C-alpha cells in the first residue's frame, strides 16, 4: 500500500493533482448544501483546502504557486469576457445611479477598513486587506493583493500572503451573513412589501421600451397613400422595419424601399415599444392578424452568425434587400432581442431574424455560417492572445507620487482589463470573443476552484493557531463591520432618497459585493430577474474597482 501512501504524502505531480482533486471535489459537493436557501458554492473549496492543510497535506510550493496564479488568470479573464459587452453600456441611464451607489459601497468598505486599521492598531495592512476581501466576498481582490505583494519583492511576502488568506477565510462566512442581513434590515425599517415591489417590477418589464415590438397596421391615413417605404422612414424618424405587406388583393410581398403603400394594405411592423403611439397616429388602426396562418411564399427564419468575417459588420452593409431580397427584423444577442436597425453591428453568436423566400434565406444562411458546431468550437486563439496581452498590460509599472514602488495591475488587473476590452471591441479586430455560456462557466469555475484550493492548502497549516484565538475573533468582528455598516448606509439612502425598488436594491447589494450566494437569496425572494439585472449592471465596475483598490492598499501602506 506504499503507492497509496505516496499519493497522499509525496511531492510529485500525481500527488499534487490527487490532493487538488480531493479538495475541489469535496468543496464543490459541500458548497451545494443550503442553509435557508443560501449556499457558499465554490467558496467551500477554500475551507476544505484549509482543513487539508491543517492536517498536514501539502503541495510543492512552486507547483502550488503556478496553479494558484493560473487559476486566478482563468477566472478573471472569463469574467472579463463575459461582462465586457455590457461594461460601458452599464453607465447609461438608470445604470449610472446604480453604479454610483455601488461605488459608494466600495468606498465605504475601504473607509471602514482603514478606520479600523488606524484606530485598532492591532492588525497589519496585509491582514486587513485579506479581511476586507473576505468581508465583501471578493476572491479576485485577494488574488490581486497577494500578487501585488509578491511584485514588491517583500522578503516576507509568502508569510504575509498566508496571513492574508487567513484573514479572508475568517471574515468570509459572516460576510455572506452580513450582506443578506442588510437586505433584511432595510426591508424591516421601511416595512417593504416584497410581493408588491416584485409586481411593480413585472409591470415595468411588461412596458419595457427596449425590446422590439411587433404590430400589424392597416393603412388608412390618406397622407401616406402612394408613398414608398423610403419616404415613410423620413416621415417617421424612428428605427423600424416593415417585415411584410399584404395587399387588398390578398397578395403578400416582401417590401423594399421603393414599395408603395396603398389604402387598405396590412403592414407587419417591427418597432420599439415606445414608438407604438407614433405609428398609431401615422399609419392607421392596429389589426389582429395571424400571419403564420396566411398562405404566403414568405417565411421567417433565424440565422446563426458563425463566420468571423461578419463580426463587426453593420446590418445595412449586408444589403439584404438588394442581394437576397430579404428583410432583417430582429437580432437576438445573448437571449436579448434587438431591433435590426441598419447601424447595428453584428457579432458572432448573434441570431438574425430574416423574412423572405426560403431559398434566399438558405443562401444567406450558408454564407453566414448558421452552424452551431462552429460556436461549440472553443476560440483558443483569442483566449490565449488575451492572456498574453493581459500579462503584458499587468506588468507595466505605473509610478504614482507617494508610493514606494511602481504599481502594476498584475496577473489579476491586467487580464481583467484586456478581457473587458476584447469582449466589447474585439470584433473590430476580427477577433471572435464569443464563448458559450457553458464553456465560460466551466473556465470560470475551474479557475476559481484551482485558486481557492491553492489558497486553502497554503494557509491551512497555521489557520487554527491564528484564527481560533482572540486575534482571530477580532478579525471576524472587523470583517462584519466592514460588510454591514457600508451596506446599511447605502441601502437606507437608496430606498429612502431614491425610492429604489426592493428587488433592484437586493441585486445592487449582491453585485456591489460580487456575492453569488446573496444573489441566489435575492432571486428567491424577488421571484423575478430584477436582482440579476441590477447585479449584472454594477458587477463589471465593482469587480474592476475591487481588484484595483486591493492592490492600491497594499502599495500605499506597505
Amino acid at each position: 500500500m506504499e503507492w497509496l501512501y505516496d499519493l497522499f504524502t509525496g511531492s510529485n505531480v500525481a500527488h499534487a493533482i490527487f490532493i487538488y482533486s480531493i479538495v475541489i471535489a469535496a468543496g464543490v459537493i459541500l458548497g451545494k448544501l443550503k442553509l435557508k436557501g443560501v449556499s457558499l458554492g465554490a467558496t467551500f473549496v477554500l475551507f476544505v483546502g484549509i482543513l487539508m492543510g491543517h492536517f498536514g497535506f501539502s503541495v510543492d510550493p512552486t507547483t502550488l504557486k503556478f496553479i494558484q496564479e493560473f487559476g486566478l488568470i482563468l477566472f478573471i479573464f472569463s469574467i472579463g469576457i463575459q461582462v465586457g459587452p455590457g461594461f460601458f453600456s452599464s453607465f447609461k441611464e438608470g445604470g449610472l445611479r446604480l453604479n454610483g451607489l455601488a461605488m459608494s459601497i466600495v468606498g465605504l468598505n475601504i473607509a471602514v477598513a482603514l478606520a479600523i486599521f488606524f484606530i485598532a492598531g492591532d492588525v497589519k495592512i496585509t491582514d486587513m486587506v485579506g479581511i476586507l476581501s473576505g468581508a465583501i466576498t471578493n476572491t479576485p481582490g485577494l488574488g490581486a493583493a497577494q500578487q501585488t505583494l509578491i511584485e514588491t519583492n517583500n522578503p516576507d511576502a509568502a508569510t504575509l500572503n498566508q496571513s492574508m488568506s487567513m484573514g479572508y477565510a475568517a471574515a468570509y462566512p459572516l460576510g455572506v451573513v452580513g450582506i443578506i442581513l442588510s437586505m433584511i434590515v432595510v426591508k424591516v425599517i421601511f416595512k417593504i412589501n416584497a410581493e408588491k415591489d416584485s409586481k411593480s417590477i413585472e409591470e415595468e418589464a411588461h412596458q419595457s421600451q427596449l425590446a422590439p415590438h411587433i404590430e400589424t397596421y392597416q393603412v388608412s391615413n390618406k397622407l401616406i397613400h402612394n408613398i414608398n417605404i423610403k419616404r415613410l422612414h423620413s416621415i417617421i424618424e424612428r428605427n423600424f422595419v416593415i417585415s411584410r405587406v399584404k395587399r387588398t388583393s390578398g397578395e403578400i410581398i416582401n417590401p423594399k424601399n421603393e414599395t408603395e403603400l396603398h389604402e387598405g394594405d396590412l403592414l407587419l411592423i417591427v418597432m420599439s415599444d415606445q414608438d407604438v403611439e407614433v405609428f398609431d397616429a401615422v399609419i392607421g388602426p392596429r389589426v389582429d392578424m395571424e400571419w403564420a396562418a396566411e398562405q404566403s411564399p414568405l417565411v421567417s427564419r433565424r440565422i446563426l452568425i458563425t463566420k468571423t468575417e461578419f463580426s463587426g459588420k453593420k446590418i445595412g452593409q449586408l444589403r439584404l434587400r438588394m442581394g437576397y431580397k430579404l428583410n432583417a427584423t430582429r437580432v437576438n444577442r445573448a437571449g436579448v432581442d434587438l431591433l435590426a436597425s441598419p447601424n447595428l453591428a453584428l457579432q458572432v453568436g448573434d441570431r438574425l431574424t430574416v423574412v423572405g423566400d426560403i431559398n434566399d434565406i438558405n443562401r444567406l444562411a450558408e454564407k453566414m455560417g448558421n452552424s452551431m458546431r462552429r460556436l461549440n468550437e472553443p476560440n483558443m486563439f483569442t483566449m490565449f492572445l488575451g492572456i498574453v496581452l493581459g500579462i503584458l498590460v499587468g506588468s507595466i509599472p505605473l509610478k504614482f507620487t507617494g508610493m514606494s514602488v511602481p504599481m502594476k495591475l498584475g496577473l489579476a488587473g491586467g487580464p481583467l482589463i484586456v478581457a473587458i476590452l476584447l469582449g466589447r471591441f474585439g470584433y473590430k479586430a476580427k477577433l471572435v470573443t464569443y464563448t458559450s455560456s457553458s464553456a465560460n462557466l466551466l473556465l470560470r469555475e475551474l479557475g476559481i476552484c484551482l485558486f481557492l484550493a491553492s489558497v486553502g492548502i497554503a494557509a491551512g497549516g497555521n489557520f487554527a493557531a491564528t484564527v481560533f484565538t482572540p486575534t482571530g475573533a477580532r478579525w471576524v468582528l472587523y470583517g462584519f463591520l466592514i460588510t454591514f455598516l457600508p451596506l446599511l448606509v447605502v441601502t437606507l439612502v437608496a430606498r429612502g432618497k431614491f425610492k429604489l425598488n426592493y428587488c433592484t436594491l437586493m441585486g445592487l447589494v449582491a453585485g456591489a459585493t460580487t456575492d453569488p450566494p446573496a444573489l441566489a437569496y435575492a432571486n428567491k425572494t424577488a421571484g423575478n430577474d430584477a436582482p440579476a439585472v441590477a447585479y449584472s449592471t454594477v458587477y463589471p465596475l465593482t469587480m474592476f474597482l475591487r481588484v484595483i483598490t486591493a492592490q492600491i492598499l497594499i502599495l500605499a501602506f506597505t
Side-chain angles (χ1 to χ4, degrees):
M1 298 294 288
E2 185 176 346
W3 62 271
L4 184 59
Y5 180 78
D6 286 341
L7 279 178
F8 280 98
T9 61
S11 58
N12 55 20
V13 174
H15 160 75
I17 296 174
F18 187 68
I19 295 299
Y20 268 95
S21 298
I22 291 175
V23 170
I24 293 173
V28 169
I29 288 295
L30 293 173
K32 292 182 178 181
L33 299 178
K34 293 184 178 181
L35 178 63
K36 294 187 179 297
V38 178
S39 63
L40 293 183
T43 307
F44 222 109
V45 172
L46 171 68
F47 298 107
V48 174
I50 289 173
L51 186 64
M52 292 287 282
H54 173 71
F55 285 110
F57 295 97
S58 63
V59 174
D60 174 69
T62 304
T63 302
L64 186 142
K65 183 180 178 181
F66 168 76
I67 294 177
Q68 176 178 329
E69 294 181 357
F70 186 64
L72 178 64
I73 289 174
L74 284 181
F75 177 65
I76 287 285
F77 190 82
S78 300
I79 286 177
I81 285 291
Q82 181 189 33
V83 305
F87 182 79
F88 297 99
S89 62
S90 67
F91 296 99
K92 298 177 181 178
E93 301 175 357
L96 192 60
R97 174 178 293 175
L98 288 178
N99 276 291
L101 292 169
M103 290 173 64
S104 300
I105 293 173
V106 174
L108 288 173
N109 286 141
I110 295 172
V112 173
L114 289 177
I116 294 172
F117 171 68
F118 286 113
I119 294 171
D122 61 349
V123 58
K124 292 178 288 192
I125 189 63
T126 50
D127 296 337
M128 181 53 70
V129 172
I131 295 168
L132 171 63
S133 297
I136 47 131
T137 68
N138 188 260
T139 309
L142 172 68
Q146 291 181 329
Q147 179 63 31
T148 300
L149 192 59
I150 294 171
E151 294 284 347
T152 63
N153 296 317
N154 190 313
D156 300 321
T159 302
L160 292 173
N161 276 342
Q162 283 191 17
S163 183
M164 199 187 304
S165 300
M166 294 174 198
Y168 173 90
Y172 190 98
L174 272 188
V176 176
V177 172
I179 294 166
I180 295 174
L181 182 62
S182 69
M183 299 179 187
I184 297 173
V185 169
V186 74
K187 180 180 178 182
V188 172
I189 291 176
F190 289 100
K191 299 178 181 180
I192 295 172
N193 185 327
E195 291 185 4
K196 182 178 179 182
D197 276 31
S198 180
K199 288 181 180 178
S200 174
I201 283 287
E202 290 172 2
E203 290 174 2
E204 290 178 11
H206 183 69
Q207 299 172 356
S208 171
Q209 300 179 354
L210 299 178
H213 185 82
I214 303 175
E215 289 285 356
T216 299
Y217 284 90
Q218 185 172 42
V219 178
S220 63
N221 186 348
K222 294 182 179 179
L223 296 177
I224 64 170
H225 289 179
N226 301 323
I227 69 169
N228 60 32
I229 290 177
K230 185 177 182 179
R231 173 62 178 154
L232 185 64
H233 273 277
S234 65
I235 295 174
I236 304 177
E237 295 181 342
R238 301 287 194 277
N239 281 326
F240 67 93
V241 176
I242 299 180
S243 175
R244 274 164 278 188
V245 174
K246 183 178 181 180
R247 300 297 193 187
T248 52
S249 63
E251 179 189 9
I252 297 177
I253 63 172
N254 195 15
K256 302 177 182 179
N257 283 334
E258 297 76 23
T259 301
E260 291 187 349
L261 304 178
H262 305 299
E263 184 178 4
D265 285 348
L266 296 177
L267 314 180
L268 181 62
I269 305 178
V270 184
M271 70 197 85
S272 295
D273 201 34
Q274 61 186 351
D275 297 331
V276 171
E277 292 182 358
V278 175
F279 286 88
D280 288 346
V282 175
I283 306 295
R286 282 181 256 176
V287 178
D288 289 329
M289 179 176 175
E290 290 292 335
W291 287 88
E294 294 290 323
Q295 295 295 323
S296 166
L298 304 179
V299 295
S300 176
R301 291 288 186 274
R302 277 187 173 182
I303 297 175
L304 186 62
I305 300 173
T306 57
K307 288 191 177 180
T308 57
E309 55 262 37
F310 288 95
S311 186
K313 275 198 172 184
K314 295 181 179 179
I315 292 177
Q317 294 177 304
L318 300 178
R319 302 182 65 82
L320 296 178
R321 290 177 181 171
M322 295 292 293
Y324 296 90
K325 303 177 183 178
L326 299 175
N327 274 334
T329 60
R330 299 184 299 285
V331 173
N332 184 277
R333 179 172 297 164
V336 178
D337 276 333
L338 306 171
L339 187 63
S341 59
N343 291 323
L344 180 65
L346 297 171
Q347 297 181 17
V348 171
D350 285 351
R351 287 169 168 81
L352 178 67
T353 300
V354 294
V355 176
D357 183 88
I358 187 63
N359 295 319
D360 294 324
I361 292 176
N362 289 338
R363 281 196 303 120
L364 180 64
E366 184 178 354
K367 186 171 183 179
M368 289 188 157
N370 201 37
S371 171
M372 183 59 71
R373 181 180 177 183
R374 280 177 175 264
L375 290 186
N376 289 334
E377 294 175 357
N379 297 301
M380 304 301 288
F381 173 77
T382 301
M383 176 181 172
F384 281 98
L385 175 64
I387 290 175
V388 168
L389 294 175
I391 293 173
L392 288 173
V393 170
S395 301
I396 298 173
L398 306 171
K399 295 183 179 180
F400 293 96
T401 304
M403 289 188 179
S404 57
V405 295
M407 174 185 168
K408 294 181 181 180
L409 295 174
L411 295 180
L416 176 63
I417 290 175
V418 169
I420 288 173
L421 293 175
L422 283 178
R424 176 61 182 87
F425 302 109
Y427 69 89
K428 292 188 176 182
K430 304 302 180 183
L431 291 174
V432 179
T433 58
Y434 174 85
T435 305
S436 66
S437 299
S438 58
N440 184 279
L441 182 61
L442 174 62
L443 286 174
R444 196 165 71 239
E445 290 297 302
L446 176 63
I448 195 62
C449 285
L450 290 174
F451 174 79
L452 290 173
S454 302
V455 170
I457 293 170
N462 301 316
F463 183 77
T466 303
V467 174
F468 297 116
T469 61
T471 298
R474 287 196 295 273
W475 286 5
V476 173
L477 174 61
Y478 295 159
F480 182 76
L481 293 176
I482 292 170
T483 302
F484 187 69
L485 292 180
L487 289 178
L488 181 62
V489 171
V490 174
T491 52
L492 290 176
V493 171
R495 182 68 182 191
K497 182 177 180 179
F498 297 116
K499 309 302 179 185
L500 204 64
N501 186 283
Y502 184 60
C503 301
T504 301
L505 180 60
M506 289 191 292
L508 165 67
V509 169
T513 51
T514 63
D515 188 53
L519 177 61
Y521 171 82
N523 284 336
K524 183 178 180 181
T525 302
N528 55 48
D529 63 354
V533 171
Y535 181 93
S536 61
T537 299
V538 303
Y539 182 90
L541 178 62
T542 300
M543 178 62 74
F544 177 77
L545 290 176
R546 296 294 189 192
V547 169
I548 298 301
T549 54
Q551 297 179 81
I552 292 174
L553 288 174
I554 292 295
L555 291 173
F557 294 98
T558 56

